């Protein structure tokens, strides 16, 4: 959401941008419930406004300092622009978070307080309980667990019963031992976390690494462990290295960490790679940066080829794919393949960490949570007028970096569709962004310099059906859920089919399926049973247990038969219990 020109940092925010940001701060203060006209309220409004003004001064002061130091080269100005954009966004989104925190959730029919999370969504625990005690199937669109077209066979589940049971067993089965950081690594990461960076995508990395080292999954005993976490933080390595090459720092320091662990904690390192612990497939590393698995590029082959990577940039594109792409596009279409993601061993991360966007979607009535009473029923649509309220058929907010985005947006804009709102220039405030998502039926997710963007998850939590044009992107939780039920996927060389696909799509049905799965795609300040963190951990455990990268192969036959028998027994019990009035 930044400017195109690196030489115009003062023009990066459109007219009225900061005025709207100040308004967000004032609205947040007003929602504290202080009496209008009171000294306390005036003080609160003044304080929040001054915070925004101070941040604006810091932004402009940074620019002035760069000019004073003679930082006028193209590269220096580009870096300055990125920094200023980051600080602009941080101020705006901090204001939005405060406003969201002070806004109460609306009353939700059929949803009890103890059944929903802080965003208003029905918890997975409540849905599993309703399934097991009342036979109410939540209607999750699960992926066929036997489908191996992308290497994902054996990761999913036959039905909701099996998923609920696996989630309940998870804390007893996934026991994570975290290798200790060296003193220098701790200091480097602590300092990097103080930097004024802002990215809802990159922050996922710290959230997952932190809570993997906390109950209920952590263990201090490596002998008890079934997973071994390498606590490298590629994104923080990038920040700590600034303004030097972040990629160089990532690969060098991740290699140094692996080498250190092999030397200083040799016994535990050998244990983590032993046959009894999965032959190396129980090692786990998290990378939410654009570099993905490339962060471990200099480590030994056993780590690169066997460890489970939880990666946001889950791009499985190969050199062969790129060569074919070039042949089809007259020699154009080059893209990076050094951070290749493998569905046979890795886990695609849910790539947006926000503790207020999911709540905003419910508060603004863009997403109506399902309830225990309607979960799984075909009639559980939001409201008859939900589609009518969304005046925009297709929307996009972001930038047009990359040849592919430039080409695709040029084509889409040439269609002059009055019901499309596609903008790739300038900044918008959080409130404008959220209003657009809540007013859109379909939202574009187009590959830019990378396949990943946190906007994919954000449009989903606002009930906007994603239209995904990003070849090679192994979507988050695609090992578990059937994305075709709540999204539209288009091959990059077929983007001109989008208008017809939208005309033919059943938006109401896809939107309803989004309501059912959204709980799997949101994180919480403290992880909640079945949320994005828990489901990611379930994916990690399924990959470790399957052990395909270590030659163990997918689970053998028999599981389906056991599941069928178990379901039959459960169904018989429910009928008997109902008849006896139990």
């Amino acid at each position: 959401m930044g400017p195109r020109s690196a030489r115009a940092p003062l023009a990066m925010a459109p007219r009225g941008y900061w005025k709207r940001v100040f308004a967000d701060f004032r609205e947040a203060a007003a929602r504290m419930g202080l009496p209008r006209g009171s000294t306390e309220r005036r003080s609160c409004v003044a304080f929040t406004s001054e915070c925004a003004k101070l941040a604006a001064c810091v932004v402009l002061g940074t620019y002035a300092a760069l000019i004073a130091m003679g930082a006028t080269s193209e590269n220096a100005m580009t870096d300055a622009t990125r920094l200023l954009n980051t600080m602009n966004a941080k101020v705006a989104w901090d204001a939005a978070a405060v406003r969201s925190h002070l806004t109460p959730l609306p009353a939700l029919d059929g949803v009890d307080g103890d059944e929903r999370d802080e965003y208003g969504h029905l918890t997975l625990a409540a849905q599993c309980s309703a399934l097991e005690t009342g036979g109410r199937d939540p209607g999750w669109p699960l992926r066929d667990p036997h489908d191996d077209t992308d290497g994902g066979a054996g990761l999913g589940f036959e039905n909701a019963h099996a998923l609920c049971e696996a989630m309940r067993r998870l804390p007893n089965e996934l026991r994570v031992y975290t290798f200790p950081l060296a003193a220098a690594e701790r200091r480097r990461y602590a300092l990097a976390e103080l930097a004024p960076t802002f990215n809802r995508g990159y922050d996922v990395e710290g959230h997952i690494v932190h809570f993997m080292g906390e109950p209920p999954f952590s263990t201090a005993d490596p002998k008890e462990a079934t997973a071994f976490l390498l606590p490298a933080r590629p994104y923080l390595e990038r920040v700590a290295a600034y303004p030097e090459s972040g990629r160089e720092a990532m690969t060098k320091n991740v290699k140094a960490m692996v080498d250190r662990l092999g030397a200083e904690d040799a016994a535990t390192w050998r244990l983590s790679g032993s046959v009894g612990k999965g032959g190396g497939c129980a090692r786990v590393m998290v990378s939410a940066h654009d570099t993905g698995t490339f962060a471990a590029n200099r480590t030994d082959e056993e780590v690169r080829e066997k460890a489970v990577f939880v990666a946001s940039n889950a791009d499985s594109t190969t050199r062969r794919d790129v060569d074919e792409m070039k042949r089809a596009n007259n020699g154009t279409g080059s893209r990076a393949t050094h951070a290749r993601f493998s569905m046979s061993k890795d886990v695609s991360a849910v790539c947006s960490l926000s503790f207020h966007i999911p709540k905003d979607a419910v508060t603004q009535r863009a997403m109506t949570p399902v309830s225990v009473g309607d979960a799984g029923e075909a009639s559980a649509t939001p409201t008859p007028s939900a589609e009518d309220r969304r005046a925009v058929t297709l929307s996009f907010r972001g930038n047009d970096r990359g040849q592919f985005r430039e080409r695709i947006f040029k084509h889409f804009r040439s269609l002059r569709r009055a019901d499309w709102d596609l903008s790739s220039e300038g900044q918008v405030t959080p409130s404008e962004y959220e209003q657009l998502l809540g007013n859109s039926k379909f939202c574009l997710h187009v590959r830019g310099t990378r396949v990943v963007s946190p906007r994919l998850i954000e449009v989903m939590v606002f009930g906007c059906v994603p239209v995904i044009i990003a070849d090679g992107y192994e979507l988050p939780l695609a090992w578990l859920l059937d994305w075709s039920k709540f999204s539209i996927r288009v091959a990059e060389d077929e983007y001109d089919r989008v208008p017809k696909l939208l005309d033919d799509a059943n938006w109401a049905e896809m939107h309803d399926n989004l309501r059912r799965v959204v709980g799997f795609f949101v994180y919480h300040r403290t992880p909640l049973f079945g949320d994005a963190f828990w489901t990611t951990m379930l994916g990690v455990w399924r990959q470790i247990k399957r052990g395909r990268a270590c030659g163990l192969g997918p689970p053998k036959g028999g599981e389906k038969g056991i599941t069928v028998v178990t379901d039959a027994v459960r169904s018989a019990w429910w009928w008997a219990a109902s008849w006896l009035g139990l």
Side-chain angles (χ1 to χ4, degrees):
M1 291 189 287
R4 294 297 310 281
S5 172
R7 295 192 176 279
L10 289 179
M12 68 186 70
R15 184 183 300 276
Y17 175 83
W18 284 104
K19 183 178 180 180
R20 294 192 296 274
V21 170
F22 297 155
D24 279 346
F25 269 104
R26 290 191 180 96
E27 183 179 348
R31 291 184 180 181
M32 290 182 179
L34 300 176
R36 184 177 295 277
S38 67
T39 302
E40 294 84 355
R41 177 162 176 164
R42 285 198 301 271
S43 298
C44 185
V45 171
F47 173 73
T48 52
S49 297
E50 288 304 315
C51 286
K53 291 175 183 176
L54 177 61
C57 290
V58 171
V59 170
L60 297 177
T62 302
Y63 172 66
L66 290 168
I67 294 298
M69 292 186 296
T72 57
S73 69
E74 186 71 27
N75 288 339
M77 292 305 295
T78 297
D79 289 343
T81 299
R82 289 174 178 169
L83 175 61
L84 298 177
N85 273 337
T86 295
M87 298 181 74
N88 274 0
K90 183 170 179 58
V91 170
W93 284 96
D94 282 351
V98 172
R99 184 187 65 216
S100 177
H101 178 70
L102 297 171
T103 303
L105 282 168
L108 300 172
D109 295 338
V111 181
D112 294 335
D114 59 351
E115 294 176 344
R116 58 177 175 167
D117 63 12
E118 60 263 40
Y119 310 136
H121 290 296
L122 190 67
T123 65
L124 187 82
Q127 294 182 71
C128 288
S129 177
L131 173 65
E132 293 169 359
T133 61
R136 294 176 180 148
D137 193 299
W140 301 319
L142 299 177
R143 167 196 171 120
D144 177 3
H146 306 288
D147 178 9
D148 203 34
T149 54
D150 58 358
L155 296 176
F157 297 91
E158 292 285 347
N159 50 49
H161 294 293
L163 173 55
C164 289
E165 183 60 28
M167 200 72 78
R168 286 205 177 92
R169 292 197 311 264
L170 189 60
N172 295 323
E173 295 180 333
L174 180 64
R175 309 296 296 155
V176 182
Y177 173 81
T178 302
F179 285 103
L181 288 170
E185 292 163 347
R186 285 198 302 272
R187 288 194 299 270
R188 186 164 67 246
Y189 291 171
L191 287 173
E193 286 179 327
L194 298 176
T197 57
F198 169 79
N199 192 296
R200 296 184 299 279
Y202 297 159
D203 289 346
V204 168
E205 185 176 287
H207 186 80
I208 293 177
V209 169
H210 173 75
F211 283 106
M212 285 187 75
E214 297 289 325
F217 300 114
S218 64
T219 178
D221 183 1
K223 294 180 180 178
E224 178 188 274
T226 56
F228 296 82
L229 176 65
L230 302 175
R233 297 285 303 279
Y235 174 56
L236 293 186
E237 296 289 5
R238 167 69 181 90
V239 174
Y242 184 84
E244 303 301 326
S245 170
R247 297 175 189 276
E248 173 68 18
M250 285 181 196
T251 56
K252 182 183 73 173
N253 290 335
V254 170
K255 179 183 185 302
M257 178 182 291
V258 171
D259 291 346
R260 176 184 62 79
L261 292 173
E264 296 179 1
D265 197 2
T268 304
W269 183 256
R270 285 196 302 271
L271 176 65
S272 70
S274 65
V275 174
K277 294 294 184 181
C281 285
R283 292 172 180 150
V284 183
M285 181 175 159
V286 184
S287 177
H289 195 265
D290 297 347
T291 50
T293 62
F294 179 75
N297 201 47
R298 293 188 187 179
T299 62
D300 60 75
E301 184 178 359
E302 187 172 75
V303 173
R304 294 196 310 270
E305 301 299 327
K306 294 182 178 181
V308 176
F309 284 86
V310 180
S312 292
N313 186 30
D315 190 347
S316 61
T317 304
T318 65
R319 290 187 180 274
R320 184 175 180 179
D321 295 331
V322 173
D323 291 340
E324 292 178 358
M325 192 184 309
K326 287 183 177 180
R327 283 195 295 270
N329 293 281
N330 299 318
T332 62
S334 179
R335 57 189 286 186
T337 59
H338 53 251
R340 190 186 173 199
F341 178 95
S342 175
M343 187 71 162
S344 65
K345 71 178 187 69
D346 300 325
V347 176
S348 179
V350 176
C351 52
S352 177
L353 182 77
S354 173
F355 301 125
H356 72 88
I357 292 179
K359 179 185 175 183
D360 293 345
V362 174
T363 302
Q364 297 171 26
R365 304 283 185 174
M367 174 62 78
T368 304
V370 295
S371 67
V372 169
D374 67 13
E377 296 179 5
S379 61
T381 52
T383 63
S385 60
E387 186 170 5
D388 297 335
R389 289 202 307 264
R390 295 178 182 252
V392 179
T393 300
L394 182 67
S395 70
F396 174 83
R397 281 297 180 273
N399 60 61
D400 60 358
R401 286 199 299 265
Q403 294 180 349
F404 179 64
R405 277 194 182 179
E406 290 179 0
R407 184 169 74 251
I408 193 173
F409 285 121
K410 181 179 179 181
H411 170 74
F412 284 159
R413 289 176 187 135
S414 72
L415 301 178
R416 300 185 181 280
R417 290 282 299 260
D419 58 333
W420 290 13
D421 189 345
L422 310 177
S423 177
S424 58
E425 296 290 341
Q427 290 179 321
V428 293
T429 64
S431 58
E432 292 170 328
Y433 174 60
E434 291 181 346
Q435 287 169 11
L436 177 65
L437 299 187
N439 197 36
S440 302
K441 295 176 185 175
F442 298 93
C443 293
L444 272 175
H445 173 86
V446 183
R447 175 175 64 84
T449 54
R450 297 291 182 269
V451 296
V452 65
S453 168
R455 285 186 293 272
L456 172 63
I457 307 301
E458 292 160 8
V459 305
M460 290 169 61
V461 301
F462 263 83
C464 189
V465 175
V467 179
I468 303 163
I469 311 177
D471 290 358
Y473 186 16
E474 301 295 344
L475 296 165
L477 309 187
W479 59 270
L480 174 66
L481 300 170
D482 182 355
W483 273 74
S484 70
K485 303 298 185 183
F486 51 87
S487 71
I488 296 174
R489 187 140 197 191
V490 186
E492 290 184 5
D493 59 358
E494 297 181 353
Y495 62 81
D496 55 349
R497 298 179 55 225
V498 167
K500 186 176 189 309
L501 291 172
L502 297 188
D503 290 341
D504 295 342
N506 186 335
W507 179 85
E509 182 178 319
M510 288 184 167
H511 173 80
D512 192 44
N513 282 327
L514 272 180
R515 295 174 59 220
R516 300 181 192 285
V517 303
V518 68
F520 293 111
F521 290 95
V522 295
Y523 294 98
H524 299 82
R525 292 186 186 277
T526 300
L528 193 65
F529 178 88
D531 72 353
F533 174 76
W534 269 70
T535 309
T536 299
M537 292 301 97
L538 181 59
V540 167
W541 174 237
R542 300 289 282 185
Q543 287 287 29
I544 291 173
K545 188 176 178 181
R546 186 175 69 153
R548 181 173 288 192
C550 294
L552 301 180
K556 304 303 180 183
E559 287 193 353
K560 183 174 182 180
I562 293 173
T563 302
V564 170
V565 171
T566 303
D567 288 345
V569 171
R570 282 175 175 154
S571 297
W573 165 250
W574 285 328
W575 280 106
S578 176
W579 184 69
L580 294 172
L582 299 178

